[in-house]
Amino acid sequence: MERRKFLKDTLKVGLGLTAGLAAGGISFASTKSAPPLPWPYVKLDPKKIADYAYSEFYRHECCNAVFSSIIRELARKVGEPYTNLPLTMMWYGGGGIAGWGTICGTLNGAALIFNLTCKDFKPMIDVLFDWYQKTALPTYLPCEGPYCKKPFPKSVSHSPLCHVSVQRWCKVASVYFGRPILYNSKERSERCARLAATVAAKAVELLNAYHFEGFKPHKVKGAQKTKMDCRMCHEVVMKEIS
Amino acid sequence: MERRKFLKDTLKVGLGLTAGLAAGGISFASTKSAPPLPWPYVKLDPKKIADYAYSEFYRHECCNAVFSSIIRELARKVGEPYTNLPLTMMWYGGGGIAGWGTICGTLNGAALIFNLTCKDFKPMIDVLFDWYQKTALPTYLPCEGPYCKKPFPKSVSHSPLCHVSVQRWCKVASVYFGRPILYNSKERSERCARLAATVAAKAVELLNAYHFEGFKPHKVKGAQKTKMDCRMCHEVVMKEIS
């Protein structure tokens, strides 16, 4: 089928080129465009996606780990249009966007996947973000690496922000390891690698449910998600500053 | 120069097709994927991009306004691979991602553009984010709409977060308009539409400088950007809670 599709596309491109060259290339360059969203989704294996996201974290950080682990698999199973997306385009999201500590990169990467594959992507984002801020994470267990056989500390972030999420984990981990665990420590990197794997798997579970099990995502109300009531993040501050 | 580049690319594609067809298309089809990043950038007009971003805000919100205003123009001037990106893929970033108040959508959209077009994208993000949090915004003046002829309030966000940035503007605007300006007000929407236009223009100015004027972006140090020192956001809180 791919072969037939390719030959069909080849013919189109061939004709396009002829027309394009005749017109000096201008018409051809301006006509082709991406198919409208949402793009087709096929059922994926959360465990397989998580394993790849874990390894991808150590190459292109948290956001790209979640994004590319899912897109790479959709490109393999569906082909175009997913093959047209560059697999390192979400590298910028690492560390809350280039280390700015804003949105957790794993959530930014997953949110883009929902936008690409779900008509009703906003409630999907609500469900994932709400789960993220209320769940003790990371839960993913790697098959290899220095920490794979040992238990590993988890924390509840109470926020979708990288800064708050990392800071809360570092506090728990410092008690767990009996020494200060800093932002630039190996343990923190391992935590974020496991978090990327955990969130990638959760995103795939939600996508499988949405597309194949009739799952209806629920909206999270304004005050709960926009933190316009200030407390959820800000009680952390009060403790730190007082 | 663009025309010459297109004809050169056309020849490449033509040769690729010949080779591909000779090999039954399979090798060509199976190897087909997005070209590696960064993608070619051509000089754009900040004013033209800003005008489109302003109108696009009212269709697909802040993040998509910045992203699609630039990608749409690159798709017109460069063609592929930009034509392969769906123009609503960053809709999810609106309101700090689906209304969660995290990263300002205008910055998330611009950061993706930098990842797509700049080898050294992280310092470019640093320069934009640092300018955003230190500058009185929005500065864009629309040609039409209910507020186009009147002066309009500006505020300094001291943060790249939607929640902090919007909240600070609402405080300034409430004084300016002499009545409470809330998150869901028309004035707040107009502010974010102008902010999208302002940030889109700034992103294009930085891209033009980076690619054509030898501009070297500077890194912003950890404590200044990740807010691990807590104060920049948290002094807001202290005022609110005390």
Side-chain angles (χ1 to χ4, degrees):
Chain A
M1 204 182 79
E2 270 172 34
R3 187 194 186 102
R4 197 180 305 119
K5 188 182 177 316
F6 166 78
L7 291 169
K8 205 172 138 195
D9 292 348
T10 308
L11 185 63
K12 276 191 211 149
V13 176
L15 293 169
L17 283 172
T18 321
L21 285 170
I26 305 312
S27 66
F28 177 65
S30 60
T31 49
K32 196 174 179 297
S33 66
L37 298 178
W39 286 352
Y41 177 82
V42 294
K43 206 161 197 169
L44 300 179
D45 173 13
K47 179 69 172 69
K48 186 179 179 185
I49 298 296
D51 291 339
Y52 185 78
Y54 177 76
S55 63
E56 172 63 7
F57 170 86
Y58 285 104
R59 290 187 291 270
H60 302 110
E61 305 174 55
C62 50
C63 185
N64 208 71
V66 172
F67 169 76
S68 71
S69 60
I70 297 171
I71 291 298
R72 177 171 158 272
E73 202 59 11
L74 287 172
R76 280 188 182 172
K77 292 190 160 188
V78 180
E80 283 198 85
Y82 293 104
T83 48
N84 294 329
L85 298 176
L87 287 175
T88 57
M89 64 182 261
M90 295 303 281
W91 193 353
Y92 79 89
I97 302 188
W100 277 77
T102 67
I103 180 68
C104 172
T106 67
L107 296 177
N108 200 11
L112 172 55
I113 299 285
F114 292 162
N115 196 149
L116 289 168
T117 58
C118 305
K119 187 171 187 298
D120 206 13
F121 63 83
K122 287 184 179 184
M124 286 287 279
I125 291 173
D126 285 358
V127 170
L128 182 72
F129 281 30
D130 202 41
W131 162 84
Y132 175 98
Q133 68 180 10
K134 291 174 178 172
T135 310
L137 302 174
T139 56
Y140 174 80
L141 296 172
C143 316
E144 54 191 23
Y147 303 98
C148 64
K149 298 274 171 274
K150 302 169 196 165
F152 197 77
K154 297 179 184 63
S155 61
V156 180
S157 67
H158 298 285
S159 166
L161 297 176
C162 167
H163 165 44
V164 179
S165 179
V166 166
Q167 192 178 47
R168 282 211 153 118
W169 184 84
C170 286
K171 283 180 181 180
V172 171
S174 296
V175 174
Y176 178 87
F177 289 108
R179 57 186 165 81
I181 299 297
L182 305 174
Y183 183 82
N184 59 359
S185 66
K186 283 182 181 174
E187 293 87 352
R188 203 279 310 159
S189 291
E190 175 67 12
R191 175 263 183 183
C192 292
R194 291 183 183 210
L195 186 61
T198 307
V199 172
K202 181 68 179 182
V204 167
E205 283 166 20
L206 289 172
L207 285 165
N208 289 346
Y210 177 92
H211 289 285
F212 300 101
E213 294 148 30
F215 164 71
K216 294 261 174 288
H218 60 270
K219 284 192 175 185
V220 175
K221 287 189 178 173
Q224 288 162 277
K225 66 183 188 181
T226 62
K227 319 272 180 313
M228 290 297 174
D229 65 354
C230 301
R231 286 163 298 182
M232 200 170 267
C233 287
H234 297 176
E235 63 194 7
V236 185
V237 188
M238 302 304 284
K239 284 186 203 136
E240 280 157 1
I241 296 180
S242 59
Chain B
M1 202 182 80
E2 275 169 37
R3 188 196 186 94
R4 196 182 306 122
K5 190 188 173 310
F6 167 78
L7 291 168
K8 202 172 139 197
D9 293 347
T10 310
L11 185 64
K12 278 190 208 147
V13 176
L15 292 170
L17 284 172
T18 321
L21 286 170
I26 299 314
S27 64
F28 183 63
S30 59
T31 53
K32 189 177 187 302
S33 63
L37 299 178
W39 286 352
Y41 177 81
V42 295
K43 206 160 196 169
L44 300 179
D45 172 14
K47 178 70 173 70
K48 185 179 179 185
I49 298 296
D51 291 339
Y52 185 78
Y54 177 77
S55 63
E56 173 63 7
F57 170 85
Y58 285 103
R59 290 187 291 271
H60 301 108
E61 305 175 55
C62 50
C63 184
N64 208 71
V66 172
F67 169 76
S68 70
S69 61
I70 297 172
I71 291 298
R72 178 172 157 273
E73 202 58 13
L74 287 172
R76 280 188 181 171
K77 291 190 160 189
V78 180
E80 285 198 83
Y82 294 103
T83 48
N84 295 328
L85 298 177
L87 286 175
T88 57
M89 64 182 261
M90 295 302 282
W91 193 354
Y92 78 89
I97 302 188
W100 277 77
T102 67
I103 180 67
C104 172
T106 67
L107 296 177
N108 200 11
L112 173 54
I113 300 285
F114 292 163
N115 196 149
L116 289 167
T117 57
C118 306
K119 188 172 186 293
D120 206 13
F121 63 84
K122 287 184 180 183
M124 286 287 279
I125 291 172
D126 285 358
V127 171
L128 183 73
F129 281 30
D130 202 42
W131 161 83
Y132 175 98
Q133 68 180 10
K134 291 175 178 170
T135 310
L137 302 174
T139 56
Y140 174 80
L141 296 173
C143 315
E144 53 192 22
Y147 303 99
C148 66
K149 297 274 172 273
K150 303 168 195 165
F152 197 77
K154 297 180 185 63
S155 62
V156 179
S157 67
H158 297 287
S159 166
L161 296 177
C162 166
H163 164 45
V164 180
S165 180
V166 167
Q167 193 177 46
R168 281 211 154 119
W169 184 84
C170 286
K171 284 180 180 179
V172 171
S174 296
V175 174
Y176 178 86
F177 289 107
R179 56 186 165 81
I181 299 297
L182 304 174
Y183 183 82
N184 59 358
S185 65
K186 283 182 180 174
E187 292 88 352
R188 202 278 311 159
S189 291
E190 176 66 14
R191 175 261 183 185
C192 291
R194 291 184 183 210
L195 187 62
T198 308
V199 171
K202 180 67 178 183
V204 166
E205 283 167 20
L206 289 172
L207 285 165
N208 290 345
Y210 177 92
H211 289 286
F212 299 101
E213 294 149 29
F215 164 72
K216 294 262 174 288
H218 59 272
K219 284 191 178 184
V220 175
K221 287 190 179 172
Q224 290 162 275
K225 66 182 187 180
T226 61
K227 319 274 181 316
M228 289 298 174
D229 66 354
C230 301
R231 286 163 298 182
M232 202 168 266
C233 287
H234 298 178
E235 63 192 7
V236 187
V237 189
M238 302 303 285
K239 284 184 203 139
E240 280 158 2
I241 297 180
S242 61

